[in-house]
Structure formats: C-alpha cells, structure tokens
Amino acid sequence: MIRRLDILDSADDSITESEVFRLALQQSMAELDCIGGYVHLRGPMSALRLVTSAGLPSSAVQAWDMLAQDAGTATSRAVDSGEPQWDAPDPADGSLLSGTGRIAVPVLGRRRTIGVLTLLTGSPERPPPEQWDFLRRVTEWIIERLRRIPTPAPLPASGQETPMVGSWDWNIDTAELVWDDAAMLVYDTDPADFGHSVESWMRIVHPEDMPGALAAAERTIRTHVPFEVEYRVRRRLGGWVWTRAAGHAVLDGEGNTVRVAGECWVSDVSPTARDALNRALRHMSDAFLAVDDHWDVTFANLKAEQLLGSDEDAPLPGRRLWDLPALRQVPDLEERFRGHVTTDRAVGFDITLADTGRVHHLRVVPVPGGLTVYLTDVTDERRRETEKVETIRAGAERATRTAELTSALAAATTTQDVIDAVARGVLPPFDAQGLLVLVTEADDRIVHIGSVGYPQDFLDRMSGSGGMEVSDDNPVGRAVLTGEPAFFRDRAQWLSAYPDIDRTGTEKHAWAFLPLTTSGRTFGVCVVAFDSARSLGAEERTLLITISALVAQALERARLYDAELNRSRELQRELLPRRLPDLVETTATARYLPAGQSADVGGDWYDIIPLSAGQVALVIGDVMGHGLPEAATMGRLRTALHTLAALELPPDEIMGHLNEIVAGLGPHAYATCLYALYDSPTGTCTVVRAGHPPPLIVHPDGAAHYPHVTSNPPLGCAEPPFETTELTLPPESLLVLYTDGLVESRHREIDEGMAQLAALVPEVDGESLEKLSDAVIDGLLPDGTTTSDDAALLVARLHALSDRQVASWQLPDGPEAAGEARRHVREQLAAWDLEDMAMTTELLASELVGNGVRHAKGPMLLRLLRTNALICEVSDTSLTMPRIRRASETDEGGRGLQLIGALASRWGSRFNHAGKTIWTEQALPSCEGRENGFTGEGPAAGTAGGGAPA
C-alpha cells in the first residue's frame, strides 16, 4: 500500500487533471485487485459526468456516461452523502457485471464533493478498513495534485482572421444554459437535442478534457477570474474537434456570481504546443506572473506561488499584483509599477522581500492585453557586485597611479623621458625623495643613466670613470646578479647587510633596490630612496616591484629606439626608389613621410617603370600595417611588379598576379595598389586600382578632378578579373597619385582630404614639381602634425609624342610585305635624318615582318617611334610569342631572334587587343636624343626630373 502511494507521490508536477484521475484509478484497481473502475466528476449543478475508466469495455460504461445525483447508485450516494459507499453484488441483476460489488469513494473539495472514484470488485465481501483508508488517501492525493496544477496561461490569440464565434449564457441559479445559433454550429449540436442545461454541454465534452473545463468553471464562479478553456467536443458524425470558450462572471449586488456569459469558437491552436508552453512557464526557475490591464494576476507559476505567498484560501490568480503577500511589504511598489510602465518598453528594478531579505530583480514586459512580470533572485549577484566595487575602490588609487605611469612610460621615447615619468609617477605617491637608475653596459659594468635627488659629486664617486663592476658585495650588483629586490628600512639595516659600504655624501636613510628585468634578463637597477627611515608594507613592495617591470620595459624600448629607428629609416630608403628614372614620357617627383615618431617601417610605396614604345607605368600602393613583415611584403610587390611589367602584361593581369602573391601571404595580408599605364604616342592612360584612392588629374588649364575609375577590392581578397578604365589625357596634364595616409587622419575623413588635395594642387605653380610636392605636403600635413599612417605622393607631368615622331603603315599579308617594310623604313629614317641607322633598321624590320608572314595570318602593322631611342614595331594577329633558342647547324630557322638580339639594344614582345606586337629599340646617335627628342613639343629627355623620398 505504501509503495503505491509513493508511486503516486513521485508523479511530476507537469501531469494534467485527466492524468491525475487516470493514475489514481489505475493504482486503486491494482491495490484492491478490482476488475474495473471509473471516475465521475460533478458538474456545476448536480449531474455526474464520466471522465475516465479502466478495465471495462466501452459498451459496459456507456450507461454511466452521465449519472444523476439522485440515481441511487453507490456513486450517486457517495456524492450526496460525502461518505464512502458499498453496494454488494445483486444476484437479481442479469447484466454482464451482476456479480460485482461497487466501492464508491467521494473526492472532497474545499466546499463540496467534486467527483467519485468507483471500483468494481469480484468479491462479495465488504472491503476491510485498511482498503477504505487507502482509497481515502488516494482521493486526498487527487485533491492535493489538482490544487498544485497551475492556472493555465492565457491562451494565444486565434490565427483565423474571421472565425465563427458563438455566444452562450449560463444562469447559475436556474442552471439554464443558452446557446445561440452560432454556438450550435460550433458545438455541432441539433437545437432539437439541446436541453438548455449544463448537462447538455457536459455530454459533448471529451472525458479527458472535462476535469480542466469543470475546474475553470469552478474557478470563475468562485474567484470571478475570466473563464478561458480549451476542450474537445463530440461531432454528430463521429470524431472530436478542439474548441475554445471564453467568458466572464456576472455578479449581483453582493458580489456573488449569478451568471457566466461568453463566446465559443473552433480552435486553430495546437493544444500540444499550448501545453508545452504552459509547462515551461509553470516550471521555469524564475518567478513568472501574467497580469491583465487592471493589474490583476491571471497566471502564476510554481516559483511565484512559493515566493509571493500563495495559499489554499487565496491563490495568486485574481489578486491585485501589489496586494500579494510578499509584495505588500515592499514600500511604494504600486507607485513604482505605475511610474515605470508608461510606455510599451520593458522595464526592470530591484526589490527586497521583507520576509526573506533577499534581493530580486523585477522585470515588467508589456504584452497584448496586459503585462508579464519576472522575478529573478539576484542576491548573490548583487553581493558579489558590492564586494567587487569595494575591491575596486580599495585599489582605485593604486590602479590610477599605475595607469598614469603606464601611459607616461608608453609615451616615453628616450631614457630621460623614462626617468622623468618615474620621478613624477613614483616619488610623490610613496613620499620618496631620491631616484637612481643604473644599467649594465656591454663590458658588464654598471653605469647610471639618470637620477633625481642625488648630488653630482656622489654620482661621480659612485660611477667613477668607467662605472661599477657587477659584484654581489653591494646591493646594486646583487640585484643585477640575482634579479631579486632588496628593501632597507633604515641605515642600521643597511650597515648590518653591508658594513663596508660608505654612505656618506648622501642624506638618504631608506632604500628600495628594484631589479630591471625583461625577457628573463636583468640589465639594471632602479633605486627609490627616502630621506628618513621608511618601512614599506607588503602591498607597497608589490606595487614597486610591478612598477619596476614597467620601467624595465620602457627603458629597454628607449635604449633600442634610436638604433631601431636608424635601421628602419635605412631599410625604408632601400625599399623605395633611390631616384625616379629620367624619361621623355614623364617628368615626375615623389615624397614619402613615415608615420609619426614610430620606428616601424611603413608599407606605402611608389614606382615609375619605363616600358617599350613610349609607354610608362606609374604605380603607388599601400601594404596594410606597419613593421618589418609589411615592409618585406612591400619589397616583394615592388620586385614582382617590375618583373610583371617587364613582361608587358595588361594592367588587369598584372593586378591579378599581385593579388595571388598577397593572398598567398596569409589570410590577414592585404594591400591596395593603383597601376596606371600611360601610352605617350596616343595620350591614353589605362588605370586599374585595387582598394586604392582614385588618381587626381590636373589639366594644363588648371582644372582638377577625380576621374571615375572602377574600384576593385584590395589585393589579397579580390577575385579576378580586375576592371580597368581607359582615360584620354591632354599633353602636359598632371597625374597625382597618393596613399590614404596623405588625405585621411583621425581628424579628417578621406573625402574631406581628397577635396582639400584637389583644391590645393591648382593653386600652386606647377612648373616646378618639387615645389608643388612640397606645397601639397605642407598643406595636408603641416609642421607638427602627427600622423598614424605613413604617406606617399607621386606627381607626374605626362608628355605626348608629336605626330612627326610616330609613323605607321599597314602591310599586306604576303612575302611582299618585307620589301614594303624596308622601303617605308628607308623613307622615314631619311625624313628623320637618321640615314645611318637605315640599314640596321631595315634588317630588323625585315626580320620581324618575315616572322609574321611565316607564323601569322592577316595584315600586319609596322610602326616607327622616335623618342630618346628609335623603336621599330611589327604587330600581327598571332598570339604565339617568339622565344629565342639555339639553332643547330642543320636547322633552316631559329636564328632570326639571335640576329635581332645582336643588332638591337633591346627587344621584346607584348600582347595587344588583336594579337601581339614585337618591338626593337636602338640607341640614337649621341646628340639625337637631346637635340631632336621633343623640340618644340615638350621637355627633352635631359630635363626629366626625379625626386628622392623626403
């Protein structure tokens, strides 16, 4: 018996009303060895409705589906009397169950009997007292578990836009129940079969849902809370459908419920989901309350009932929020609630419950139709916060001093800066009067590098001409050798440790010797001295040791700063062009400014690369970050770019190869780059940029603008192909390339800086590019401006070839093309007064044309350019690039390129939009390049300028 009661008690709190009755019936049948049983619930009036049965076929219990209270059966008598009843087997009963006795035990609520547990036993004997006692305890368990079942959370709103809604009205005094036509349809009931009584409604409700429905009705009648329940009803054609009913109590003048009226409709909400939500809210760890618009509680979970004082006579639902037992003692709670909940936003505040003294955070969240209230116990959290505040307050002054000293040491760049920072940050807080900093040199001797509060004659005697030897017979040497601090509170303690060391010449009476150690190596000692005896506490000693570590790091940086700065500047000079090339196509100058006072090298770079046929590449880029790795990346990109440009690849392909190089350096490697290919014969400039600011174009008339150049992602994260933009620029235009460090800073957005640059360049006399560059630097980065990023500037004046310096001819597709080519060369060189170069140039042109006739199809183009050299080009439609090879004695071909290499200063090939171009270059006679380069058309080659890094 005890075992079965324990089984009942072990049921978790999530079971429903129908599960409570079913479990109680099953355990009772097993304990009394009964053949069957059933449970009836009493309706709001007198009818009894079957809610569950076990061990019996449905045909056997069908007659007991609805029982009148005056039916005379053991079940009815138990309800009427409130006492257990026994009916012995009736031999005259000819039914299937004629030989069974009936045990009926009432389920007693607070005010009346709410139901009956009936068992069918095969024994004709009345059950013994211990079995009656067991059944009584089972019914007590039923009542106890029903009271623990929470008030259901408010049901979610219907998802249907226009559900069919019926109306109902139930008179409590007369037991009359009225449904309108819509309610008849919702409950699928024929008006002719409807008896206008509660029993008519009870007959169609599913037995498993009847306990919850009756409990909701009882709750509304007793506490006047809104009636809201969901249950299944029987369809006339078979099956069940979920419906919902909602209503309210109508009270008389004395506050008693006389009617309950409301609406009903077919439900479209999953009961399973609602039950899961109900259980989750019921058993959540925080206290949870649902409150309507009038501040009345409509739902409370288990934690809220335990915390806020729920009891049997006055459950939480239906009570005003601030009238709950535990909240009633919180001062000004109603005013705080009303004052906080003035908007649709969630608010929260802490309250202390008087009966427990614990602190809870109360959070109020507005929801449709009311509020939800959460209470979380934050006592331990608030206590920890208070302890943390006290700890922080206790160490606030120490932390402030350390932070100030740390900032000062971080900003220090020289040894004297470090000494001054320590003097300001250490001596006053510890009421010290002396500071002495000593370090070891390469010959293992100790020298002092700074002091405060010591006379010069003492310092001279202490250091001598070459410093002190590192020895453990003095506190300085011992601190260096052991790396451990030493503290002397007075002269007596000093003399006890070092009786042979004379301290005359100084008025100090107490000392702290703090080793300066970085990376496990002690390289010096910081001595803090006091004019009077001073005993340092454990916390003060710990703080001084911590400070000495900061000082050691700052001193190490300061001593390495100059050497590192010099090496960095030298590396930067080596990585950037020493001077720009002298070219007839461009006149250019450049500037480079490192970032602030940092010793780190930057990643900004620029370059001008002369190519064939009057073409020149102007490049500027920026590797993200500062330091040796970024400088190495910049060097790699410069080298790679020179190699790729020498191959005369298109700008977009060059950028694609650079992107692969940067991407191969790691996931965090990025660089920006702008590559401009200027073609002086045509005056066109093909620009491709990867994450870099656009170029500034300044026309000869002074008009400055930023052309629209398609922007591609930075190198390292781009996906080829790269988009290029072709610009046509008037001769003598200025092309201004720059990095973001020139136009962007903490105090200036990049758009603002670019606008300032565009306004500044036209105002300066552009005849001297050196003066122009200086004016741009002074205007954008005036003296005293500290930049966090390095900056590069490249300014180039673009020259164009005149028509008389370029000649081109279309050649036929056939062997006769070579002869025509030789004729055109002779005639043009005669016009240029270069007859001495005619024979060699004819041979070169003939060889190039012959190569095209042999390996290509279609017409060819012959072009001669006269710049500071004589360039001969042949273009054909073949994409096969020539390559030089060693021909054997029996080979008929393979010697043409060797001949070209021998006759020309240099030669090469490049792809074009229709095929390829093979070119040769020959040096002009010594005077031709100067006298005939750009006479009357622009500066000669000798006037091209090149600027070194600033």
Side-chain angles (χ1 to χ4, degrees), residues 510-721:
W511 301 266
F513 291 84
L514 308 170
L516 302 175
T517 303
T518 58
S519 302
R521 181 181 66 88
T522 301
F523 67 90
V525 178
C526 177
V527 182
V528 178
F530 304 85
D531 288 347
S532 59
R534 178 78 153 82
S535 180
L536 296 171
E539 186 175 348
E540 291 177 309
R541 294 187 180 193
T542 300
L543 181 56
L544 282 174
I545 294 173
T546 302
I547 290 174
S548 70
L550 300 175
V551 175
Q553 296 177 9
L555 274 178
E556 189 77 357
R557 290 195 305 269
R559 298 177 68 197
L560 296 175
Y561 175 78
D562 289 336
E564 184 178 354
L565 180 60
N566 291 335
R567 288 193 299 269
S568 299
R569 296 286 169 83
E570 181 63 26
L571 175 61
Q572 191 77 60
R573 284 192 294 269
E574 292 298 324
L575 290 174
L576 291 173
R578 288 177 176 263
R579 66 186 307 274
L580 298 178
D582 291 336
L583 303 174
V584 296
E585 294 86 1
T586 63
T587 304
T589 188
R591 296 289 185 271
Y592 173 81
L593 284 84
Q597 299 298 321
S598 173
D600 280 340
V601 291
D604 288 15
W605 54 284
Y606 57 85
D607 221 333
I608 291 183
I609 306 172
L611 303 174
S612 65
Q615 292 184 329
V616 60
L618 300 98
V619 190
I620 195 164
D622 182 3
V623 177
M624 300 303 176
H626 297 87
L628 292 178
E630 286 73 16
T633 300
M634 182 258 281
R636 292 180 185 177
L637 293 180
R638 275 202 66 216
T639 303
L641 187 59
H642 271 268
T643 302
L644 296 170
L647 296 175
E648 299 197 82
L649 298 176
D652 57 331
E653 292 188 22
I654 291 177
M655 202 65 75
H657 288 298
L658 293 180
N659 181 66
E660 293 178 0
I661 294 174
V662 176
L665 298 177
H668 302 294
Y670 300 101
T672 66
C673 183
L674 187 148
Y675 182 94
L677 178 62
Y678 175 62
D679 185 49
S680 62
T682 61
T684 60
C685 186
T686 304
V687 183
V688 57
R689 65 186 182 110
H692 203 84
L696 174 65
I697 304 297
V698 182
H699 287 228
D701 61 0
H705 74 285
Y706 292 99
H708 175 71
V709 177
T710 303
S711 178
N712 298 282
L715 301 177
C717 62
E719 292 290 339

Side-chain angles (χ1 to χ4, degrees), residues 89-100 102:
D90 184 4
D93 186 359
S95 66
L96 176 65
L97 303 176
S98 60
T100 61
R102 289 171 173 77

Side-chain angles (χ1 to χ4, degrees), residues 109 167 178 230-231 250 384 398 424 585 608 669 874:
S167 298
V178 178
E230 188 172 24
Y231 49 83
V250 179
R384 288 192 297 269
R398 180 179 61 190
R424 292 191 303 269
E585 294 86 1
I608 291 183
V874 173

Side-chain angles (χ1 to χ4, degrees), residues 336 340-341 345-351 361-365 374:
R336 296 174 70 180
H340 282 79
V341 187
R345 293 180 299 178
V347 296
F349 50 88
D350 286 355
I351 62 172
H361 183 72
L362 191 150
R363 181 171 173 81
V364 183
V365 181
Y374 305 81

Side-chain angles (χ1 to χ4, degrees), residues 167-171 178 220 227 246-250 257 259-263:
S167 298
W168 52 269
D169 193 318
W170 174 28
N171 190 309
V178 178
T220 299
F227 176 76
H248 61 278
V250 179
T257 302
R259 291 173 41 243
V260 179
E263 299 173 334

Side-chain angles (χ1 to χ4, degrees), residues 704-887:
H705 74 285
Y706 292 99
H708 175 71
V709 177
T710 303
S711 178
N712 298 282
L715 301 177
C717 62
E719 292 290 339
F722 285 81
E723 295 290 335
T724 62
T725 302
E726 186 170 294
L727 308 174
T728 300
L729 304 178
E732 305 308 307
S733 295
L734 290 181
L735 180 65
V736 181
L737 308 182
Y738 54 93
T739 59
D740 57 356
L742 184 67
V743 295
E744 184 181 27
S745 67
R746 292 189 299 268
H747 311 292
R748 181 176 58 198
E749 297 293 336
I750 189 170
D751 292 340
E752 180 184 351
M754 291 172 60
Q756 190 175 349
L757 173 63
L760 184 61
V761 173
E763 296 178 355
V764 182
D765 183 8
E767 290 299 323
S768 172
L769 296 186
E770 297 292 336
K771 293 181 179 179
L772 173 62
S773 299
D774 292 338
V776 169
I777 296 299
D778 293 340
L780 294 175
L781 302 174
D783 292 340
T785 300
T786 300
T787 60
S788 58
D789 194 9
D790 49 344
L793 172 69
L794 176 62
V795 182
R797 177 173 284 111
L798 307 179
H799 310 306
L801 294 182
S802 64
D803 293 339
R804 65 186 184 85
Q805 292 175 287
V806 182
S808 61
W809 304 270
Q810 288 284 343
L811 299 179
D813 181 13
E816 67 275 12
E820 289 192 20
R822 289 192 294 272
R823 177 171 57 81
H824 290 318
V825 168
R826 285 195 304 272
E827 293 174 354
Q828 186 61 47
L829 294 186
W832 283 346
D833 295 329
L834 296 176
E835 292 91 341
D836 294 342
M837 304 181 66
M839 182 177 296
T840 302
T841 308
E842 285 183 48
L843 183 56
L844 292 171
S846 179
E847 186 63 36
L848 295 178
V849 171
N851 184 73
V853 170
R854 182 175 181 181
H855 298 289
K857 294 182 180 181
M860 292 175 287
L861 177 68
L862 170 66
R863 188 169 73 157
L864 294 177
L865 296 91
R866 181 186 179 188
T867 60
N868 59 344
L870 178 62
I871 300 169
C872 177
E873 293 183 347
V874 173
S875 302
D876 57 44
T877 58
S878 173
L879 296 176
T880 303
M881 286 295 183
R883 61 184 183 88
I884 193 168
R885 63 185 179 89
R886 183 177 297 279

